[in-house]
Amino acid sequence: MGGRPKAGGHDPRCAQRIRLKHVGTQPGPLNPVTIHQVATEIQDCCGHRPIKAFRLAAGWTVDEAVRRVHDLCQDLGLGPRGLVARSWREWEATAIPDRDYQDLLCRLFSTGPVQLGFGNDYSPQLAVLPEARTLAPIGDERSNDTADGNQQLIGRDLVMAAARDSADWIQRAEQTNVGPHTLDQFRSDIQRIVTLYPNRPVGPTFAEVLHLRNRAFELIEGRQHPDQTRDLYLITGVLCGILANASFDLGYLAEAETQARTAWLCADLADNNWLRSWTRGTQSLIAYWDDRPSDAVALARSAWDYTPESGTPQVRLAALEARAHARLRDASAAEDALRRADHAREAVTGDDEIGGMLVFPHAKQSFYAATCHLWLGGDQRFRQAERLAAAAVGWYEATPPDRRRTGEQCLAMLDLAAARLALGEIEGAAEAVQSVLSTGSRRRTDSVTRRLRQLSGQLERAAYRDAPVALSLREEIQVFTATRVAPALEARQQ
């Protein structure tokens, strides 16, 4: 136990021995007096900062201490905080928490800011007070002078202390780390990103969105007014949703799911049904491409009761559900979901919360329906798929080039090619694929690459295997798909 503490304090085992000496193997929480005694001895012996000494005295890891702060906020109805383990470790190193977190930590350890090392005590040493005299009951004239004096002194102290506490609370309540233009700048950046995303290489967009999301995380860990906190959660959720979409486009499906789960949590904390619905749709999309169509159905259905404040998320949910049902060869359920998508489209009131890539346009609904008919099969459905896919391609081509959704346009053209191929129209299929190879080279995504490989498999069937057009097309597809989707992003990570 002895010895001068080295920089950073003694080994944690020293604190464990001190705690064991005081409390043994006593289960359950310790009383505040015992924690204070143990923390004082740990600080004196080991050289830790007071907040670390209190944590070690309580017997908690950093993660457990953070969890207990969140539990405390929930138990006392104080609202959520963004505290993470990294911030706690910074407090134990050199940082000083703001007034809000100081108050929470004092509540957590049932002590004051001075004891936790957040301030200094400059009060003089008090002389031993004479034995307190009992105040006389009201009406006892023999002790009125003494009683009045004590009541006057106690009353003044209480009133002054109460006023100081109220003044401190005003200062904390008025504090915010979100300036008047911060949220507007976030919205402006997001609006620009979601507008340009569908027609821009994915890698650079990913890096830009990651920077913005990290900034939003940092702000949430601070203190702001409740309406600002909700706005920050919505902003952070949208940014995580964009990262989920970008991770998906780059072919990282597990990582995309993680981003989507974070977006869902933010949607809950922001209490925003538009973001809830859109995020569940993204999770359904990921499951579909991850060869989990049953999960895709369940995820899309799970958000159906979250009526969005405005926009097209429910149209998207129903279309995603229909496509997954079709992949499961459930024609009845697919057609029902397609009808619900049409009804949801008719019920849309107002624009989507953000716009851009987060909107589910008519063109996308059309080629999703085409995909359904391709999965279900049969000449009549193949004709329907061709018509719907061609309509979607027409819509995309009518969009100004700088606003065109390149990846979606390629998928619609590939559905058109698949429908023509199923109908034996190999020349028409080749024309559509050639357009994809030209258009898609400017913005590569994993889903387009996968769809091309599927189409190449269709070209290997006996009916087309030896056709010169099929041979040439398979070779071009092989060259296209051999190029990695995100070389720039991978180079950045090395």
Side-chain angles (χ1 to χ4, degrees):
M1 299 285 290
R4 185 178 181 82
K6 61 184 179 181
H10 283 163
D11 186 283
R13 288 174 294 185
C14 182
Q16 292 170 3
R17 287 193 294 269
I18 294 172
R19 186 175 187 276
L20 188 63
K21 179 182 71 174
H22 281 270
V23 304
T25 57
Q26 173 184 337
L30 304 180
N31 66 66
V33 174
T34 302
I35 290 180
H36 190 282
Q37 291 171 342
V38 176
T40 301
E41 187 169 337
I42 290 174
Q43 187 182 353
D44 292 342
C45 174
C46 303
H48 296 307
R49 294 191 78 188
I51 183 176
K52 183 172 183 178
F54 268 85
R55 175 179 64 79
L56 294 172
W60 299 337
T61 64
V62 170
D63 288 337
E64 185 174 5
V66 169
R67 179 177 59 79
R68 287 178 180 269
V69 170
H70 291 302
D71 291 345
L72 177 69
C73 291
Q74 182 175 352
D75 293 343
L76 298 180
L78 299 177
R81 298 297 192 276
L83 179 62
V84 295
R86 181 187 66 189
S87 296
W88 188 289
R89 293 190 181 94
E90 290 174 354
W91 296 339
E92 293 189 356
T94 58
I96 299 293
D98 64 21
R99 285 179 176 269
D100 178 53
Y101 277 118
Q102 287 185 29
D103 180 73
L104 289 173
L105 294 169
C106 290
R107 291 173 185 259
L108 182 68
F109 292 114
S110 300
T111 189
V114 172
Q115 289 76 16
L116 289 176
F118 305 145
N120 298 308
D121 186 354
Y122 298 107
S123 61
Q125 294 293 323
L126 299 177
V128 177
L129 297 176
E131 183 178 354
R133 284 179 280 181
T134 305
L135 296 178
I138 296 175
D140 188 343
E141 296 180 0
R142 293 170 301 171
S143 302
N144 273 351
D145 290 343
T146 302
D148 288 346
N150 284 338
Q151 287 174 345
Q152 185 179 27
L153 178 61
I154 292 173
R156 183 187 66 186
D157 288 347
L158 284 174
V159 171
M160 292 177 66
R164 284 196 301 272
D165 289 344
S166 293
D168 288 344
W169 183 86
I170 289 174
Q171 290 181 345
R172 293 198 302 273
E174 288 182 336
Q175 286 177 350
T176 175
N177 61 341
V178 179
H181 305 298
T182 303
L183 296 174
D184 286 342
Q185 186 60 53
F186 267 118
R187 295 188 188 100
S188 176
D189 288 337
I190 289 173
Q191 192 69 53
R192 172 178 51 79
I193 288 167
V194 299
T195 300
L196 298 178
Y197 180 93
N199 198 29
R200 182 186 180 195
V202 181
T205 303
F206 186 98
E208 182 180 4
V209 176
L210 180 61
H211 171 76
L212 287 173
R213 189 219 55 185
N214 290 346
R215 175 64 179 142
F217 275 169
E218 290 173 1
L219 290 173
I220 286 177
E221 288 185 26
R223 180 178 179 83
Q224 50 291 141
H225 301 310
D227 57 337
Q228 293 174 326
T229 303
R230 283 191 294 272
D231 285 344
L232 275 176
Y233 277 125
L234 177 60
I235 286 167
T236 306
V238 170
L239 290 169
C240 287
I242 299 171
L243 286 177
N245 203 96
S247 299
F248 166 78
D249 281 340
L250 294 168
Y252 298 101
L253 300 191
E255 290 75 12
E257 284 189 300
T258 297
Q259 297 289 357
R261 279 193 292 271
T262 308
W264 175 261
L265 174 61
C266 290
D268 258 356
L269 293 171
D271 193 22
N272 187 283
N273 282 347
W274 174 86
L275 184 55
R276 284 187 178 109
S277 300
W278 189 88
T279 301
R280 274 291 188 258
T282 300
Q283 291 174 309
S284 176
L285 173 73
I286 295 166
Y288 172 86
W289 284 96
D290 198 31
D291 300 324
R292 295 181 285 118
S294 295
D295 289 347
V297 168
L299 285 163
R301 289 301 296 267
S302 69
W304 190 253
D305 292 334
Y306 291 108
T307 304
E309 291 78 3
S310 62
T312 58
Q314 282 200 317
V315 185
R316 181 175 183 241
L317 285 171
L320 285 161
E321 183 189 337
R323 192 169 63 169
H325 279 307
R327 185 169 179 180
L328 293 167
R329 304 298 196 274
D330 189 337
S332 176
E335 288 167 355
D336 175 71
L338 287 174
R339 283 191 293 271
R340 280 190 283 115
D342 288 334
H343 295 156
R345 175 73 66 184
E346 294 169 1
V348 169
T349 56
D351 296 332
D352 284 77
E353 185 86 18
I354 303 296
M357 62 172 281
L358 307 181
V359 177
F360 193 77
H362 283 279
K364 201 167 185 178
Q365 183 179 353
S366 184
F367 91 74
Y368 269 39
T371 308
C372 290
H373 290 295
L374 286 173
W375 278 117
L376 295 173
D379 282 355
Q380 185 175 352
R381 289 192 182 276
F382 290 145
R383 290 292 180 195
Q384 184 77 335
E386 182 183 25
R387 183 185 64 79
L388 290 165
V393 171
W395 273 320
Y396 285 122
E397 290 178 343
T399 305
D402 61 329
R403 298 296 177 92
R404 195 167 294 166
R405 297 183 173 208
T406 306
E408 295 172 16
Q409 181 182 355
C410 287
L411 290 172
M413 287 192 290
L414 289 172
D415 274 0
L416 178 60
R420 289 173 175 174
L421 197 60
L423 293 166
E425 301 169 8
I426 190 169
E427 297 291 342
E431 180 184 352
V433 172
Q434 291 288 355
S435 295
V436 172
L437 297 177
S438 173
T439 304
S441 62
R442 298 192 296 271
R443 185 181 186 274
R444 295 176 181 272
T445 63
D446 183 66
S447 52
V448 170
T449 298
R450 290 184 183 215
R451 196 73 183 87
L452 278 167
R453 289 185 180 131
Q454 292 171 1
L455 201 65
S456 181
Q458 288 179 260
L459 289 168
E460 293 178 2
R461 294 174 183 170
Y464 315 113
R465 186 179 303 146
D466 299 325
V469 174
L471 290 170
S472 175
L473 206 54
R474 286 206 308 270
E475 184 176 336
E476 291 183 69
I477 290 174
Q478 184 176 7
V479 171
F480 184 96
T481 57
T483 303
R484 301 178 70 85
V485 171
L489 186 64
E490 290 171 357
R492 183 186 298 271
Q493 292 174 331
Q494 290 175 352

